[in-house]
Amino acid sequence: MKSVLLIAIIVALASCQGAEVAEPLAVQDRSFSSVILDAVEAFRVVLQNGSPKYGVPVMAPMTAAQRSFEFNTGEFSGTFGVEDFVLQGLDQYEVKTMNMDVIRSRLTFEFDFPSVNFTTNYEMEMGSGYRVKRNGGAFFALENLNIRGRISYSLGVFTSKLRVKDVLIYPSVGNVNSQIENLSKYRIFNKKLNEVIEEFVTLTINDSTDFVAEWVSEQVTPICNDLIGDRTLSDIIAIITGGF
Ligand SMILES: *[C@@H]1O[C@H](CO)[C@@H](O)[C@H](O)[C@H]1NC(C)=O
Ligand SMILES: *[C@@H]1O[C@H](CO)[C@@H](O)[C@H](O)[C@H]1NC(C)=O
Ligand SMILES: *[C@@H]1O[C@H](CO)[C@@H](O)[C@H](O)[C@H]1NC(C)=O
């Protein structure tokens, strides 16, 4: 997820700047939006086909035959494994807004995802003192996922070196659909557990406040700048226009 986000940000930023350098002022607004939309469409293709050149795998659909990891939160520890995992919908976004504010050096955007969902078989073993073992099939969907955000940047006066100043992201979700089998062997209790998960995830996403946005910004901003490195604008434009 992190790498998808970063590529999106860099594509968006670099495209805007590319337009700024390449186009005369008068047609800037129109060309900005068309260049950005081109980049957003190009990114959809990257999600669908991957980019071997940059080591980016196919992410829509994203599949994993088998994967497992151990977790240890102090209170709980265990292992969690998935088999035949398929994540769909990352490429099904609709761009609601994409505005470049050259004067204030910021890009605001809003994306809608009708459904981002996964199906998988899972196996989980966890406990503290006692052991709990669960396995079964699972379907999980975030429906009408909306992502609003703002990227602020600065541009070196003489070097045209691009720096990301901050990245603010505000997600919300219309509906969460959790159908995880076998959380409990009692059907009615299993349904209840899924409802608890649905509510927890909805609230976690919808209530992610400025605090979370700031935290994300603190994590993402340095990574962005690391990725951009010492590349000048023209380097980045070359990467973008060179295609994936
Ligand atoms: C899962 O997501 C894909 C892509 O958004 C969508 O086409 C499909 O209908 C969704 N599956 C279900 C069961 O909602
Ligand atoms: C649920 O768990 C039981 C016991 O581990 C297992 O026998 C059963 O196959 C599981 N059900 C599904 C649908 O995987
Ligand atoms: C979460 O936010 C979305 C968009 O604002 C809204 O449609 C949805 O009803 C909210 N859900 C809850 C449980 O607050």
Side-chain angles (χ1 to χ4, degrees), residues 4-234:
V4 179
L5 182 68
L6 292 180
I7 295 168
I9 289 164
I10 290 179
V11 166
L13 271 176
S15 315
C16 304
Q17 296 297 342
E20 186 174 17
V21 172
E23 303 292 332
L25 232 76
V27 290
Q28 244 179 31
D29 275 358
R30 192 168 44 80
S31 65
F32 272 153
S33 30
S34 70
V35 169
I36 294 169
L37 285 176
D38 279 356
V40 167
E41 284 311 313
F43 186 61
R44 201 190 298 276
V45 176
V46 172
L47 287 171
Q48 289 164 348
N49 298 339
S51 169
K53 198 167 144 195
Y54 293 94
V56 180
V58 172
M59 284 175 287
M62 188 192 291
T63 60
Q66 208 165 20
R67 192 149 302 172
S68 74
F69 45 92
E70 302 197 359
F71 57 92
N72 189 343
T73 64
E75 197 154 351
F76 294 105
S77 64
T79 57
F80 182 80
V82 294
E83 203 176 74
D84 301 327
F85 175 91
V86 181
L87 175 73
Q88 284 185 295
L90 286 182
D91 59 333
Q92 298 299 312
Y93 50 78
E94 187 193 333
V95 184
K96 304 292 280 187
T97 55
M98 182 68 88
N99 290 326
M100 186 70 190
D101 184 339
V102 187
I103 310 289
R104 286 189 287 183
S105 298
R106 42 165 86 150
L107 173 74
T108 53
F109 54 87
E110 181 176 351
F111 289 88
D112 265 349
F113 297 78
S115 177
V116 175
N117 58 60
F118 67 79
T119 50
T120 188
N121 291 312
Y122 78 95
E123 189 169 55
M124 180 172 66
E125 198 179 338
M126 61 176 282
S128 53
Y130 58 94
R131 306 301 290 175
V132 185
K133 207 172 170 176
R134 298 279 181 268
N135 67 58
F139 173 80
F140 190 88
L142 301 178
E143 288 161 6
N144 297 322
L145 176 66
N146 176 276
I147 296 186
R148 283 185 305 121
R150 193 189 76 200
I151 300 172
S152 308
Y153 61 90
S154 65
L155 200 59
V157 179
F158 299 112
T159 55
S160 74
K161 214 162 118 175
L162 181 64
R163 277 285 161 267
V164 175
K165 276 161 55 185
D166 68 344
V167 180
L168 292 179
I169 290 180
Y170 297 95
S172 71
V173 65
N175 184 48
V176 177
N177 183 356
S178 173
Q179 293 172 35
I180 306 174
E181 287 175 356
N182 252 10
L183 287 172
S184 162
K185 63 181 172 177
Y186 303 109
R187 189 189 290 244
I188 187 149
F189 197 52
N190 196 66
K191 188 156 177 272
K192 194 70 209 166
L193 283 173
N194 274 296
E195 283 168 14
V196 170
I197 292 172
E198 285 168 358
E199 191 177 332
F200 176 78
V201 174
T202 307
L203 292 179
T204 303
I205 294 178
N206 272 21
D207 290 355
S208 68
T209 47
D210 287 348
F211 173 74
V212 176
E214 262 168 44
W215 183 83
V216 170
S217 182
E218 276 170 23
Q219 310 304 312
V220 171
T221 307
I223 301 174
C224 274
N225 287 325
D226 269 5
L227 282 180
I228 295 168
D230 277 336
R231 292 191 183 90
T232 63
L233 267 183
S234 41

